[in-house]
Amino acid sequence: MRVESVPEQTLRRLPRYFHMLEKLQEAGQAFVSASLLAEALDIHPTQVRKDLAMTGSQGRPKVGHRVDDLLAAIETFLSWDSRSDAFLVGAGSLGTALMGYPGFEKAGITIVAAFDAHPQKAGKMVHGVRIFPMSKFENLCTRMQVSIGILAVPEAAAQATADLMVCSGIQAIWNFSSTNLVVPPDLIVENVELYASLAILGRKLARRKRDAAALKA
Amino acid sequence: MRVESVPEQTLRRLPRYFHMLEKLQEAGQAFVSASLLAEALDIHPTQVRKDLAMTGSQGRPKVGHRVDDLLAAIETFLSWDSRSDAFLVGAGSLGTALMGYPGFEKAGITIVAAFDAHPQKAGKMVHGVRIFPMSKFENLCTRMQVSIGILAVPEAAAQATADLMVCSGIQAIWNFSSTNLVVPPDLIVENVELYASLAILGRKLARRKRDAAALKA
DNA sequence: TAGATTGTTAATCGATTAACAATC
DNA sequence: TAGATTGTTAATCGATTAACAATC
């Protein structure tokens, strides 16, 4: 029974602080107040203080937090100092984009190999990552003890690929399909819901347009 | 002062129901109960009932909802029946992946043109979408009255590109950069926080490993 | 010192879950 | 009829915001 108790929302905001802090660091700022971060990111100041408090960083009244310290505290808190390897499955256009995504490095994650169901892609290199046929997945994964699986396959193959990952010892799945994966309860799954995100955008816009039209009439 | 009052979370879950319902429809299911959806998607049954109630669909006790009706109700509620055009900026690997993304069609959104800062890309076609130089953006956007902007440019160009979109009459931005865009308050912005998502995955995994190691010791 | 800023405790708000009457 | 399932009202839970004492 872990204490954990870090709100998911806090976890989601911390990278945003981090990103802003990097900009401030580049700009030569040595100190920053929670209020300034709050203002810049549209988050309530008290919320920012609570979030920062979770990382263990301490600020000084009237001065704020030291930018360097805060960056380091967030980095440690998010475990970006520990490294993990990842296998990517699905070297289509999305997979290709992910292999070039600079965010991995910062999060301490390295894509060490990619896999694709089309055998003709095997052997190719994309953004410095070699592509293997699916048949090699389980063996390589077990041998290299890779713990992260990135799922960028078409809808229809999503669950089967997840099953393969689980069999091969993967502990965390970054899921880009809109399928609700059925996996053992202790598996970590992080869903990127592009579909839902787009749906929300579309709906808000349609309502806006409708309201505008109604107002004019 | 609109009544709106649809929880953001409900909006986020509706596409998941939709997706599952499509599968059920394909499988030939005519009816579905809220409990079945709840079970399949790991959502509390009462939550599902509330969400479905918002769409206006009515179920019959003992039988459940008619799958066809429910699909139609969600589609209408999410305004997927109204169509909008979008311009994409940034034809790099992420932009390329997005041009091939099948989710747009379902959400009633069409990418009608793409733009890129590298002039040598101009004139090319990617997934059926023509690429233009940035200089054409404002003129084309105003003339065609495009309302959605998809932001897939490098970090450093994000804010400037958003500014250009705003000037050109864009009303909603789908933002893939991790920059907190500064835009007029009535602009619709939907952020896809890949960075945060990955950070959370990495953290959970690192904690898991650490705990496992501690347990062994 | 005066005042800005911190960190924490209490109040509010919204979302999720429980309980239950209605109904096919 | 009996029982599954609906939709709604009430209770709980967690996250956000307000209030405020501590402190540099």
Side-chain angles (χ1 to χ4, degrees):
Chain A
M1 192 137 309
R2 269 175 299 164
V3 189
E4 197 64 27
S5 85
V6 183
E8 184 90 4
Q9 298 305 318
T10 295
L11 247 31
R12 220 162 275 281
R13 283 185 296 263
L14 284 171
R16 298 179 59 197
Y17 302 137
F18 190 85
H19 190 248
M20 176 56 70
L21 287 163
E22 283 184 312
K23 285 193 192 165
L24 291 170
Q25 192 183 45
E26 270 172 50
Q29 284 283 325
F31 289 89
V32 66
S33 71
S35 338
L36 189 145
L37 283 174
E39 172 85 14
L41 298 173
D42 261 321
I43 301 175
H44 196 282
T46 305
Q47 187 74 81
V48 176
R49 292 205 181 90
K50 278 204 164 172
D51 288 341
L52 298 187
M54 303 233 64
T55 68
S57 171
Q58 291 222 325
R60 276 193 294 161
K62 241 197 132 171
V63 180
H65 294 251
R66 182 171 269 284
V67 172
D68 294 352
D69 293 355
L70 205 40
L71 278 166
I74 295 177
E75 206 166 345
T76 309
F77 189 74
L78 291 178
S79 304
W80 285 353
D81 44 355
S82 83
R83 307 207 56 84
S84 296
D85 286 342
F87 273 0
L88 181 147
V89 181
S93 49
L94 177 60
T96 301
L98 290 174
M99 285 185 249
Y101 182 56
F104 287 104
E105 202 196 342
K106 199 166 284 175
I109 295 170
T110 311
I111 301 183
V112 290
F115 298 83
D116 199 281
H118 299 283
Q120 65 268 29
K121 285 191 185 166
K124 288 194 180 143
M125 299 285 288
V126 177
H127 292 290
V129 178
R130 180 177 295 277
I131 301 176
F132 293 90
M134 286 307 293
S135 55
K136 302 266 187 188
F137 188 92
E138 184 160 7
N139 188 272
L140 275 175
C141 191
T142 315
R143 232 170 55 201
M144 298 176 71
Q145 302 216 38
V146 171
S147 47
I148 298 176
I150 302 167
L151 199 59
V153 301
E155 227 25 63
Q159 182 62 54
T161 308
D163 292 344
L164 174 65
M165 286 177 171
V166 171
C167 286
S168 311
I170 289 285
Q171 290 177 54
I173 296 179
W174 203 24
N175 176 31
F176 282 85
S177 81
S178 40
T179 300
N180 189 255
L181 301 176
V182 180
V183 294
D186 64 325
L187 213 91
I188 298 161
V189 177
E190 178 68 22
N191 297 302
V192 178
E193 312 234 4
L194 283 188
Y195 194 44
S197 174
L198 187 59
I200 291 171
L201 183 89
R203 179 181 196 275
K204 287 184 181 166
L205 181 64
R207 297 283 143 149
R208 161 82 52 87
K209 282 179 177 172
R210 218 192 44 186
D211 291 358
L215 215 69
K216 224 186 276 178
Chain B
M1 192 139 304
R2 269 176 300 166
V3 189
E4 197 65 26
S5 85
V6 184
E8 183 91 5
Q9 297 306 315
T10 296
L11 247 31
R12 219 163 274 282
R13 281 185 296 263
L14 284 172
R16 299 180 58 196
Y17 303 137
F18 190 85
H19 191 247
M20 176 57 69
L21 287 163
E22 282 184 312
K23 285 194 194 167
L24 292 170
Q25 192 182 44
E26 271 173 48
Q29 284 283 327
F31 288 90
V32 66
S33 71
S35 338
L36 189 144
L37 283 173
E39 172 85 16
L41 298 173
D42 261 322
I43 300 174
H44 196 282
T46 305
Q47 186 75 81
V48 176
R49 294 207 180 87
K50 278 205 164 169
D51 288 340
L52 298 187
M54 303 234 63
T55 69
S57 171
Q58 291 222 326
R60 276 193 295 163
K62 241 196 133 172
V63 180
H65 293 250
R66 182 171 270 285
V67 172
D68 294 352
D69 294 353
L70 205 40
L71 278 166
I74 295 177
E75 207 166 344
T76 309
F77 189 74
L78 291 178
S79 303
W80 285 352
D81 44 356
S82 84
R83 307 208 54 84
S84 296
D85 286 343
F87 273 0
L88 181 146
V89 180
S93 49
L94 177 60
T96 300
L98 289 173
M99 286 184 248
Y101 182 56
F104 286 105
E105 202 197 342
K106 199 166 284 174
I109 294 170
T110 312
I111 300 184
V112 290
F115 298 83
D116 198 281
H118 299 283
Q120 67 269 28
K121 286 192 185 165
K124 290 195 179 143
M125 298 286 287
V126 177
H127 291 290
V129 178
R130 180 177 296 277
I131 301 177
F132 294 90
M134 286 306 293
S135 56
K136 302 266 187 189
F137 188 92
E138 184 159 7
N139 188 272
L140 275 176
C141 191
T142 315
R143 232 169 55 201
M144 298 176 71
Q145 301 215 37
V146 173
S147 48
I148 298 176
I150 303 167
L151 198 59
V153 301
E155 231 20 65
Q159 182 61 55
T161 307
D163 293 344
L164 174 65
M165 287 177 171
V166 171
C167 285
S168 311
I170 289 285
Q171 290 176 54
I173 297 179
W174 203 24
N175 176 30
F176 282 85
S177 81
S178 39
T179 300
N180 189 254
L181 301 176
V182 179
V183 294
D186 64 325
L187 212 92
I188 298 162
V189 178
E190 177 68 24
N191 296 300
V192 178
E193 312 233 3
L194 283 188
Y195 194 43
S197 174
L198 188 59
I200 292 171
L201 183 88
R203 179 180 197 276
K204 286 183 181 167
L205 181 62
R207 297 283 143 150
R208 161 82 53 86
K209 282 179 176 172
R210 219 192 42 185
D211 290 358
L215 214 70
K216 224 187 276 179

